[in-house]
Amino acid sequence: MEDNGNKIEYDLKESRDLERLPSQHQGQIQNVHLEGLIFQYEDTRNMSGLETISAGWIICNSWAGIAATFALAIVQGGPVTLVYGPILMCVLVGACAVTLAELASVYPTAGGQYHWVSILAPKRWSRMLSYCCGATNVFSWIAICAGIAIIVPQLCLGMAVFWNPGYAAQPWHAFLVYQVVNVLVLAYNMYLLRRTMWVHDLAFFVSISSFAIIVVTCLARTAPHFRTTESVWTKFLNSSGWSNGIAFLTGLVSPNYMYAGIDGAVHLAEECKNPEVVVPRALMSTVSIGFVTSFVFAVIMMYCTNDLEAVVTSATGVPVFEIWRQATRSDVAATVFLVLLILAAVFALNATHQTASRLTWSFARDDALFGSRWLGKINEKQQVPIAALLFNFVIMFIIGCIYLGSTSAFNAFIGTGLILQHVTYAFPAVLLIMRKRSPKWLPKSRTFKMPPVLGWAANITTIVFAIITIIFYDFPTVSPVTGGSMNYASAVIGVMMLFTIANWFGHARKHFHGPRLQVLLD
């Protein structure tokens, strides 16, 4: 303890030490911040607030996320899932974002969720729970990277099939495009991104402009041949074989995908200045802008689509391309829109590589991984975690090789991304509730603060939604289930658990330590 005039500082080695504060100081906590971590220096943080918000947005790129995953939603609910899904996701994921934003306003680090777990967890479970949350988050971000990367070849090959009907797309074609795009994005992140952070602002501008161009053009070309209001707002399509309730819940993967990587801004906290203010703003901006663009996009696309059957059975394998053809009555316009969607995917992949590498670097910085000695370093010349970028790239390369052998296995891996992310949101939410959202853990002086009732509701909703995703996102998309239609996400998660356990007993159990706390009292 140190007395500094009218303020008292307690240097706490572990989160459990908060409980040992003298009773007279329990209600006087003014600020809590992390100690024991080697943060990136302020003068090396070169992302502005706008660039951080843009990066957080472009990772999700909500309207593009829905556009790229139309197929599943059309089969499992159709217009109802596409129209009401974004509304439901705004509420559910919005609650997750509030939970993250409150914690990020107090503990802004690249580690994010697993650091918060280390702080909030009881003495006995702190290291273990923090490690589990961190490993889960690392896996989830690699899965999301792979999920975005595969969108690029799927769209490119779909366009090739349309313009050259004699062309038969093969898995190895998609594999090559997947790997080329990953190599290009890796190289950009290693050697150029640090000097061109404005690329996120450019990506944001291109994404919003593309959204506006597509929506306006489709409206202008379709009028006055819109579908009926009843067919858009009340028509439920279900060819999955499941009951309507299960089909709707499993179909929520599509609207939920518009918020894949919502915690991206959290892991960029040590890239920007004033992160305790910027990161919460980025989170809430992503949710609000994402809802407006995705909801408007989904509704208008449904009004502009005359033949949903043709969309589902499109030979290109890209349903949104057929929607744009119907809406514009122009193959060229639909192709231009598809190019804009590909560009949005590349921008998203670029930001996702950056974010995923910062998370891996942070986890290694805490000595949680084999090879942390190298993975936890920032390259002095490029000022980026090159080893962490390469580590993630190698895993993504291996995942791409799986695509050659089994697209089902590949899809199962990328399908784990959303599930695992929501699990990592639930970890700190559970602990916050256990701590009764006390000022000891969420100081009243924090920059982002919700009314107590809304804070409690957000934490509880975050946990409930995580349970829903664990159950229903593991369901096969169709019934009866065959070997080809089986959802192997649960098996993939099991394999991830084996790697996590092996790394814990082989390395992390001896070396990994979560962050310390410093509490400042009036």
Side-chain angles (χ1 to χ4, degrees), residues 130-153:
S130 177
Y131 169 78
C132 290
C133 183
T136 301
N137 212 7
V138 168
F139 277 123
S140 72
W141 269 95
I142 293 174
I144 287 174
C145 282
I148 295 175
I150 198 61
I151 290 174
V152 177

Side-chain angles (χ1 to χ4, degrees), residues 9 36 68 71 88 115 122 133 148-149 158 194 204 224 240 267 269 284 322 333 386 429 439 451 462 482:
E9 292 186 6
L88 184 58
H115 277 167
C133 183
I148 295 175
R194 184 74 180 176
F204 181 82
S240 67
H267 305 301
M284 303 318 296
E322 177 60 27
I386 287 182
T462 300
T482 64

Side-chain angles (χ1 to χ4, degrees), residues 248-305:
F248 177 76
L249 289 171
T250 55
L252 287 178
V253 170
S254 178
N256 194 2
Y257 202 72
M258 72 184 191
Y259 289 127
I262 189 70
D263 60 324
V266 170
H267 305 301
L268 295 176
E270 294 180 48
E271 297 284 306
C272 64
K273 299 181 185 297
N274 200 21
E276 63 276 3
V277 174
V278 170
V279 172
R281 286 179 181 174
L283 287 164
M284 303 318 296
S285 298
T286 300
V287 172
S288 56
I289 301 174
F291 168 69
V292 172
T293 56
S294 60
F295 179 71
V296 170
F297 181 83
V299 170
I300 290 177
M301 292 307 105
M302 286 299 95
Y303 270 109
C304 294
T305 304

Side-chain angles (χ1 to χ4, degrees), residues 155-481:
L155 298 180
C156 290
L157 297 183
M159 191 162 48
V161 168
F162 177 79
W163 287 104
N164 184 13
Y167 168 67
Q170 302 296 324
W172 67 270
H173 298 166
F175 168 80
L176 288 178
V177 177
Y178 169 93
Q179 300 296 9
V180 167
V181 172
N182 273 318
V183 169
L184 293 176
V185 172
L186 171 69
Y188 187 87
N189 265 269
M190 289 171 62
Y191 300 112
L192 293 176
L193 181 61
R194 184 74 180 176
R195 302 174 180 85
T196 58
M197 286 296 186
W198 48 262
V199 73
H200 298 313
D201 293 340
L202 174 64
F204 181 82
F205 174 78
V206 170
S207 176
I208 295 299
S209 299
S210 300
F211 161 77
I213 291 170
I214 292 171
V215 165
V216 171
T217 304
C218 289
L219 283 174
R221 295 286 292 173
T222 303
H225 306 291
F226 293 127
R227 297 180 67 197
T228 64
T229 297
E230 181 181 356
S231 66
V232 171
W233 294 90
T234 62
K235 188 171 184 178
F236 191 91
L237 301 178
N238 182 9
S239 57
S240 67
W242 296 111
S243 66
N244 287 348
I246 292 178
F248 177 76
L249 289 171
T250 55
L252 287 178
V253 170
S254 178
N256 194 2
Y257 202 72
M258 72 184 191
Y259 289 127
I262 189 70
D263 60 324
V266 170
H267 305 301
L268 295 176
E270 294 180 48
E271 297 284 306
C272 64
K273 299 181 185 297
N274 200 21
E276 63 276 3
V277 174
V278 170
V279 172
R281 286 179 181 174
L283 287 164
M284 303 318 296
S285 298
T286 300
V287 172
S288 56
I289 301 174
F291 168 69
V292 172
T293 56
S294 60
F295 179 71
V296 170
F297 181 83
V299 170
I300 290 177
M301 292 307 105
M302 286 299 95
Y303 270 109
C304 294
T305 304
N306 297 313
D307 186 356
L308 281 175
E309 183 64 28
V311 172
V312 175
T313 60
S314 173
T316 64
V318 184
V320 75
F321 182 68
E322 177 60 27
I323 289 176
W324 287 334
R325 286 185 65 239
Q326 293 183 25
T328 63
R329 301 191 300 279
S330 169
D331 296 342
V332 174
T335 302
V336 171
F337 293 170
L338 200 60
V339 171
L340 292 176
L341 185 58
I342 292 171
L343 190 59
V346 172
F347 278 133
L349 182 61
N350 185 54
T352 307
H353 264 276
Q354 178 189 6
T355 304
S357 69
R358 281 12 175 219
L359 175 60
T360 300
W361 163 75
S362 177
F363 206 40
R365 179 181 59 178
D366 291 330
D367 210 359
L369 298 169
F370 278 116
S372 289
R373 178 179 175 183
W374 298 278
L375 295 175
K377 287 186 176 181
I378 297 288
N379 181 273
E380 292 184 5
K381 182 178 180 180
Q382 302 300 332
Q383 285 296 301
V384 295
I386 287 182
L389 280 163
L390 289 170
F391 174 82
N392 288 355
F393 169 78
V394 169
I395 296 179
M396 288 182 66
F397 182 90
I398 294 172
I399 296 168
C401 294
I402 294 174
Y403 189 88
L404 288 173
S406 171
T407 56
S408 295
F410 179 88
N411 291 336
F413 184 90
I414 64 176
T416 64
L418 281 175
I419 299 171
L420 296 179
Q421 276 214 314
H422 283 287
V423 169
T424 67
Y425 306 157
F427 265 99
V430 168
L431 293 170
L432 266 181
I433 290 176
M434 185 190 73
R435 296 297 187 183
K436 300 179 181 180
R437 294 177 52 85
S438 166
K440 291 190 295 184
W441 314 96
L442 285 178
K444 294 180 180 180
S445 60
R446 64 187 184 275
T447 57
F448 182 88
K449 182 166 55 176
M450 296 295 290
V453 173
L454 293 181
W456 278 96
N459 298 156
I460 293 171
T461 302
T462 300
I463 297 166
V464 172
F465 189 34
I467 295 172
I468 291 174
T469 61
I470 291 171
I471 296 172
F472 290 101
Y473 289 9
D474 280 323
F475 267 54
T477 56
V478 296
S479 178
V481 181

Side-chain angles (χ1 to χ4, degrees), residues 69-117:
T69 57
F70 256 123
L72 179 62
I74 289 176
V75 173
Q76 297 179 288
V80 168
T81 298
L82 286 167
V83 170
Y84 294 103
I87 299 175
L88 184 58
M89 285 302 113
C90 182
V91 175
L92 296 177
V93 179
C96 300
V98 167
T99 297
L100 299 178
E102 286 199 306
L103 287 164
S105 68
V106 184
Y107 316 106
T109 75
Q113 294 95 299
Y114 83 86
H115 277 167
W116 305 336
V117 169

